Amino acid sequence: MIVLSKHKHLNIKRFRPTLREVAALAGVSQATASLALRGRPAVDAATRARVLEAATQLRYVPNLNGRRLARGRAETIGVIQGRNMTTLFSDSFYRMVLAGAGEAAQAAGYSLMIAPTLRKDTSVMEMLEHVGPGTVDGVLVVGVLEQEAIFALRDLGLPVVVVDTYLPGTDIPAVAHDYRAGAWQLTRHLLQLGHRRIAFVGADVDYPFGRDTHDGYRDALSSAGLPYSSVLVRMVAISAEAAAAATRDLLSATPAPTALVTVTDTMAIGAMRAAHELGRRVPEDVAVVGMDDIELSAHTNPPLTTVRVPKEEMGRLAAERLIALSRGQQPTPSVLMLSGTLVVRRSCGAGSAGRPTGEVWS
Amino acid sequence: MIVLSKHKHLNIKRFRPTLREVAALAGVSQATASLALRGRPAVDAATRARVLEAATQLRYVPNLNGRRLARGRAETIGVIQGRNMTTLFSDSFYRMVLAGAGEAAQAAGYSLMIAPTLRKDTSVMEMLEHVGPGTVDGVLVVGVLEQEAIFALRDLGLPVVVVDTYLPGTDIPAVAHDYRAGAWQLTRHLLQLGHRRIAFVGADVDYPFGRDTHDGYRDALSSAGLPYSSVLVRMVAISAEAAAAATRDLLSATPAPTALVTVTDTMAIGAMRAAHELGRRVPEDVAVVGMDDIELSAHTNPPLTTVRVPKEEMGRLAAERLIALSRGQQPTPSVLMLSGTLVVRRSCGAGSAGRPTGEVWS
DNA sequence: TTGTAAGCGTTATCAC
DNA sequence: GTGATAACGCTTACAA
């Protein structure tokens, strides 16, 4: 029985030579073999040749666990997904962030290790069973995660960088988008188009995004000298459905708002659908704007005016920062806040009034 | 100087307790501590409590490299991206495959390790510097990779599964889509709509996709008793531009084809653009169909008739297969070929003639 | 230039 | 039940 199982095992692992065997075959010590294989100068050309020869002959490939254990670093960054998404991969916003992070990691020769999220409430400790000390040099937190969890990671000695949100009142490094400025840009654009009754469909969440976008809307109204009225504001879940419901509600008031600021493109799509269902034309009867600029937004009907959040750039910068930290660089300004650009399409009714900062497509 | 550097180091790594320290604090041996922490039954309740207490007090987290080295497995699957894409993450087709693989891995408690592709021609050996024995239990090859490279991986003793393509004449396990059947479905659909002059814009590549789709087109013609004519066929690069060029070429012939089969949605989009530029209406003047069903395809103008390739399912099944192999399961039928479903939208001019197997949206 | 030997942090096999 | 002790495969002072 034992023999069988041993064979089965062998069948899978086949023969995997170790450095020791390479060294033996080359007739040198393990240390020399190690140096030779990694191209260190302090080794004789002839010896090196012998070692290399032995290695290729045995099809030697180093075992990375051994190396990492000895070196103490892994040249890998771990990714933990936040609570505000179902799956990193399937979310059209976050997977762009991930793409940016992946590219930066690749450019630095780092791998990306993506922790499995077994369940909605998988604890960070469980995630560390996969993405933990030893296997990763640092952790990129994509999206919203409990503050305690992030501190726990940091207390473990793992460098941590948060992307797309930040932790107010802490020194946790983050790379985020300025959603307050984004909401301000959108609202201001509508004001410049002449709208005065601008409703706001915001996000009823307890992380900065909710408050920041709300503030941005308010800022823009107040600098235009307009009053803020809660009659025009709905704070709802971040989903097309919730935004559609809020829109139905807002549009049934008299007088109805002439424009609608929503805080994600997904919500804007829900809002437009609700408007259409009520027989209102977008943008003629009601202008609608969103935020994020997901891939879909250029292709809705009408195409959506939105703020393009630099998704890939956020990911890229966050990964670069994390790698720098893992290499011992001292933490720099805690939150790096990027700003997005207004993308003017047709859902706001701008016509050709494209702002200099904006772009017009499709 | 040494002191400074040591401090810097400490500052980053902080204090990271090892099992040894936990054992010492609990007053037991390392072996016992290990058993206790992993919840093995053969340890006294009181002892276990002391160990757990010590562990939490020291904020102990196991070092995964040590564990993996000792255990010989990593509960991680490595992902190597094929040559037929630029980046896994940014490719709208392959990232869905990745999403499926990620979900399967997560469900099994496995992490996903994504190898950096430093350059276009990064060798597999270079990739193994990151995704190699020790760190991963198997390798998922997403897309097309040289046969030698795949054999090299396998010879290393790493289980390998290829997804979205296969290696004819080998026993390398693969999970793929039946592109031949897909092209057949598309062509047949056009035939059923009454088209007789159906052009084909295929992929000029040397992996199975190119030949299979071509064969599928031919199959459909021949079973309808129509001749295959190379006048109606263009084999080009897989890109919107190349397809647009081929389309301009095909549509300038007399008589022009009344329908166009392209082999990816990206190509179909290029083809439609070219048709529009020539003043031809789609589908009235020329029907266009694609394959893949990427996210965009439901939102083009007109929405694209296509074959929905089960991208996430391919990824899921491939990852599941790989995990099974890595656990010692014997290889089963080498190629698992999934079939896609025809999705009838407007670009083919089907009107309400939706086939029972198809779906109509948007 | 090359070799010796001590880790790196864990798991697993035995005795006790 | 618990504790020595030997792997696991590699890197790296330090010696020779």
Side-chain angles (χ1 to χ4, degrees), chain A residues 92-312:
Chain A
S92 54
F93 182 91
Y94 284 111
R95 71 181 172 219
M96 292 287 95
V97 176
L98 186 61
E103 278 158 26
Q106 298 206 346
Y110 277 56
S111 301
L112 225 52
M113 177 91 153
I114 296 163
T117 305
L118 304 161
R119 304 174 314 280
K120 201 94 201 167
D121 63 335
T122 302
S123 78
V124 169
M125 282 303 153
E126 286 176 281
M127 295 181 191
L128 286 178
E129 291 288 312
H130 294 88
V131 172
T135 36
V136 302
D137 298 333
V139 173
L140 187 65
V141 174
V142 179
V144 179
L145 199 63
E146 315 83 73
Q147 182 165 314
E148 311 77 55
I150 293 177
F151 281 127
L153 287 172
R154 213 249 295 267
D155 289 346
L156 243 42
L158 283 173
V160 178
V161 172
V162 173
V163 61
D164 188 47
T165 185
Y166 57 94
L167 285 80
T170 72
D171 61 348
I172 297 287
V175 176
H177 172 251
D178 192 341
Y179 286 108
R180 180 170 183 168
W184 179 86
Q185 283 168 285
L186 290 168
T187 311
R188 179 158 163 278
H189 179 67
L190 293 170
L191 287 164
Q192 289 177 332
L193 292 175
H195 291 281
R196 283 299 170 269
R197 226 179 142 65
I198 303 174
F200 180 75
V201 181
D204 183 25
V205 295
D206 60 2
Y207 44 89
F209 177 72
R211 207 166 68 86
D212 289 350
T213 45
H214 196 176
D215 286 349
Y217 165 74
R218 236 186 318 226
D219 294 346
L221 289 187
S222 89
S223 53
L226 287 179
Y228 169 91
S229 156
S230 58
V231 170
L232 289 172
V233 172
R234 296 292 181 281
M235 300 300 279
V236 303
I238 301 179
S239 75
E241 293 68 36
T247 301
R248 279 190 288 274
D249 187 24
L250 287 163
L251 292 185
S252 60
T254 327
T258 63
L260 219 61
V261 174
T262 69
V263 293
T264 72
D265 287 351
T266 307
M267 292 171 85
I269 289 169
M272 291 203 291
R273 202 180 56 228
H276 290 144
E277 285 166 7
L278 292 174
R280 315 289 176 96
R281 291 164 306 165
V282 177
E284 294 81 355
D285 299 326
V286 58
V288 174
V289 297
M291 179 135 55
D292 285 351
D293 196 30
I294 58 176
E295 196 178 2
L296 217 57
S297 307
H299 303 277
T300 53
N301 182 19
L304 199 55
T305 290
T306 187
V307 166
R308 177 173 306 155
V309 175
K311 300 170 278 292
E312 291 171 89

Side-chain angles (χ1 to χ4, degrees), chain A residues 29 31-32 42-44 47 69-70:
Chain A
S29 77
T32 308
V43 55
D44 186 77
T47 322
L69 190 54

